[in-house]
């Protein structure tokens, strides 16, 4: 496979499969993904000459991503951020057609926030509210003007809100503007009890009914509702697929050579994030190890583009070097070349935008 290398002085090399760049161009699409292990958010797009564009910014332990309109939401070590694209359609800044600037941040404390999303709100003065998976407290929560968080839902088997990561609640799927499904690694109700149930204790829970709609998964992540199906990553087995809700079974669509986290969709394609499994008790001994061995495949870190019509992995982006684990990925439709402003340079001090009186 022909590669297009993009090297960085930080000891990172990014290689795109031969048709990955043409695919981005044809889809009029760019991607953003987080790596909490390296504390970076990456923006993948195209340069004016149609070569790959890679832009990164530093945010401590950045994880969950959610994109809506011109806004990009991201969780970090102890904060939730809203970054706003300050460029109007047709505007360009230093060759970039999207410039994401941190505009609003909430101090949440270190809650180990995983997936985040915007939900419809019944409050007339607040049409949408930020919902996030509060993994440390085993619940769904929202932000507060006066507190670290406000709990909004917890699994039926969690008897108490405690900073104990009891079931490793991690994934959130929205449907019709409401939280609908979540994933958890176990149904444990004791501190870090999920670590003993990694192989087959995973489940999907219906938020509205609090019913377990699917059990027996292996470390599931990233549930997403798309085209009338509930998709997810059965990370412990390396399988991407969907849930047959009528039969209560998981239907694998594609095998991914790595530990999966992060899932987004665009048209007929899914984009899946994969990581190199850590060599510790949390990630060892999973069915994924046996599958990789049987297929004589080595796990790697990067993004896979899967054609939903065939289940084939048609394009990929591989990361080698200092970045070994990803968490989330989002598609930025209609954006060719995105960038962002962070806090490690003086740019954020000098970049001033002026709004109009509505």
């Amino acid at each position: 496979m022909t590669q297009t290398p993009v090297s960085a002085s930080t000891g990172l090399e990014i290689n795109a499969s031969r048709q990955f760049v043409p695919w981005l161009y044809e889809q009029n699409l760019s991607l953003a993904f987080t790596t909490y292990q390296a504390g970076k958010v990456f923006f993948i797009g195209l340069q004016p000459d149609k070569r790959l564009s890679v832009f990164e910014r530093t945010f401590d332990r950045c994880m969950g991503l959610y994109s809506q309109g011109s806004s990009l939401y991201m969780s970090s070590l102890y904060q939730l951020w809203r970054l706003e694209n300050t460029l109007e359609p047709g505007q360009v800044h230093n060759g970039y057609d999207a410039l994401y600037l941190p505009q609003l941040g909430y101090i949440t404390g270190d809650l180990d926030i995983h997936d985040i999303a915007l939900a419809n709100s019944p409050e007339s003065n607040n049409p949408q509210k930020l919902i996030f998976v509060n993994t440390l407290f085993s619940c769904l929560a929202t932000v507060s003007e006066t507190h670290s968080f406000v709990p909004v839902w917890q699994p039926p088997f969690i008897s108490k809100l405690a900073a104990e990561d009891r079931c490793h609640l991690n994934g959130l799927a929205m449907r019709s503007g409401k939280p609908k499904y979540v994933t958890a690694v176990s149904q444990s109700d004791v501190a870090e009890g999920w670590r003993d149930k990694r192989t087959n204790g995973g489940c999907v829970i219906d938020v509205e009914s609090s019913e377990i709609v699917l059990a027996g998964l292996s470390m599931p992540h990233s549930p997403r509702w798309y085209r009338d199906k509930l998709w997810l990553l059965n990370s412990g087995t390396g399988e991407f697929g969907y849930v047959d809700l009528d039969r209560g079974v998981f239907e694998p669509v594609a095998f991914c050579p790595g530990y999966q986290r992060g899932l987004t969709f665009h048209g007929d394609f899914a984009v899946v994030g994969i990581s190199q499994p850590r060599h510790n008790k949390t990630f060892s001994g999973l069915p994924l190890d046996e599958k990789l061995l049987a297929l004589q495949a080595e796990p790697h870190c990067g993004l896979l583009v899967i054609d939903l019509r065939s289940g084939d992995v048609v394009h990929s982006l591989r990361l080698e070097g200092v970045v070994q684990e990803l968490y989330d990925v989002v598609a930025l439709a209609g954006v060719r070349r995105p960038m962002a402003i962070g806090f490690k340079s003086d740019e954020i001090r000098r970049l001033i935008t002026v709004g109009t009186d509505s």
Side-chain angles (χ1 to χ4, degrees):
M1 178 169 53
T2 302
Q3 303 284 335
T4 303
V6 179
S7 298
S9 59
T10 55
L12 173 67
E13 185 172 288
I14 299 179
N15 295 306
S17 61
R18 190 167 62 91
Q19 294 299 324
F20 180 82
V21 169
W23 176 77
L24 282 182
Y25 181 79
E26 292 164 2
Q27 299 296 318
N28 192 21
L29 177 72
S30 58
L31 300 168
F33 63 86
T34 53
T35 162
Y36 66 89
Q37 169 247 336
K40 300 282 187 181
V41 56
F42 283 86
F43 295 87
I44 304 298
L46 298 180
Q47 299 181 44
D49 60 4
K50 297 182 184 178
R51 290 185 299 136
L52 196 67
S53 170
V54 179
F55 193 94
E56 54 89 4
R57 287 298 189 190
T58 299
F59 290 88
D60 287 346
R61 197 176 168 79
C62 51
M63 291 184 66
L65 282 176
Y66 186 80
S67 174
Q68 180 169 296
S70 62
S71 302
L72 181 65
Y73 295 83
M74 180 179 62
S75 67
S76 60
L77 180 61
Y78 57 90
Q79 294 164 305
L80 270 171
W81 289 104
R82 175 172 63 80
L83 291 82
E84 196 70 21
N85 178 16
T86 63
L87 299 182
E88 298 293 334
Q91 278 190 311
V92 175
H93 174 80
N94 293 338
Y96 295 87
D97 66 341
L99 172 60
Y100 289 97
L101 177 69
Q103 289 284 357
L104 179 65
Y106 288 93
I107 306 297
T108 62
D110 188 356
L111 303 176
D112 196 18
I113 294 174
H114 280 57
D115 283 7
I116 55 179
L118 281 178
N120 295 336
S121 173
E123 302 174 22
S124 58
N125 62 340
N126 184 22
Q128 290 186 312
K129 64 178 180 180
L130 199 55
I131 299 290
F132 59 88
V133 179
N134 184 339
T135 301
L136 181 64
F137 281 82
S138 308
C139 70
L140 294 183
T142 188
V143 294
S144 169
E145 299 294 331
T146 55
H147 296 79
S148 297
F149 70 95
V150 176
V152 297
W153 178 88
Q154 67 195 65
F157 48 80
I158 295 296
S159 60
K160 175 186 177 183
L161 288 180
E164 297 178 345
D165 188 8
R166 296 184 173 189
C167 63
H168 205 66
L169 193 73
N170 58 41
L172 171 61
M174 305 293 291
R175 185 176 178 184
S176 301
K178 298 179 181 179
K180 179 58 177 173
Y181 300 103
V182 295
T183 49
V185 172
S186 80
Q187 298 180 47
S188 170
D189 195 29
V190 298
E192 297 200 351
W194 63 272
R195 296 185 183 277
D196 300 320
K197 303 292 182 182
R198 299 170 304 117
T199 302
N200 57 10
C203 63
V204 177
I205 312 165
D206 185 318
V207 173
E208 293 179 355
S209 67
S210 289
E211 295 179 358
I212 308 295
V213 298
L214 180 62
L217 296 170
S218 181
M219 299 191 75
H221 283 82
S222 308
R224 306 286 186 259
W225 185 262
Y226 185 70
R227 290 186 174 176
D228 297 323
K229 284 184 179 180
L230 176 61
W231 304 83
L232 61 81
L233 308 176
N234 199 22
S235 307
T237 67
E239 293 169 323
F240 158 74
Y242 63 91
V243 179
D244 187 322
L245 292 168
D246 293 329
R247 296 166 50 224
V249 298
F250 176 71
E251 294 287 354
V253 171
F255 175 74
C256 303
Y259 187 81
Q260 307 161 299
R261 279 174 305 201
L263 172 62
T264 191
F265 293 90
H266 181 79
D268 294 322
F269 302 94
V271 182
V272 175
I274 57 174
S275 303
Q276 293 190 28
R278 274 175 260 160
H279 299 292
N280 60 20
K281 187 176 180 181
T282 301
F283 289 86
S284 61
L286 295 171
L288 173 63
D289 296 338
E290 299 176 4
K291 291 196 174 187
L292 289 168
L293 185 61
L295 295 171
Q296 299 187 38
E298 291 293 329
H300 60 268
C301 176
L303 301 176
L304 303 178
V305 179
I306 300 171
D307 192 324
L308 298 175
R309 297 162 294 187
S310 63
D312 294 339
V313 177
V314 289
H315 312 293
S316 64
L317 191 76
R318 181 176 293 205
L319 281 70
E320 297 179 347
V322 293
V323 176
Q324 298 181 338
E325 296 183 34
L326 308 185
Y327 181 73
D328 211 354
V329 57
V330 292
L332 303 175
V335 176
R336 285 290 188 198
R337 193 185 187 199
M339 66 168 288
I341 299 296
F343 300 104
K344 299 294 185 180
S345 72
D346 284 340
E347 287 176 288
I348 195 166
R349 183 166 61 93
R350 298 193 306 267
L351 185 62
I352 299 172
T353 61
V354 181
T356 58
D357 188 357
S358 58

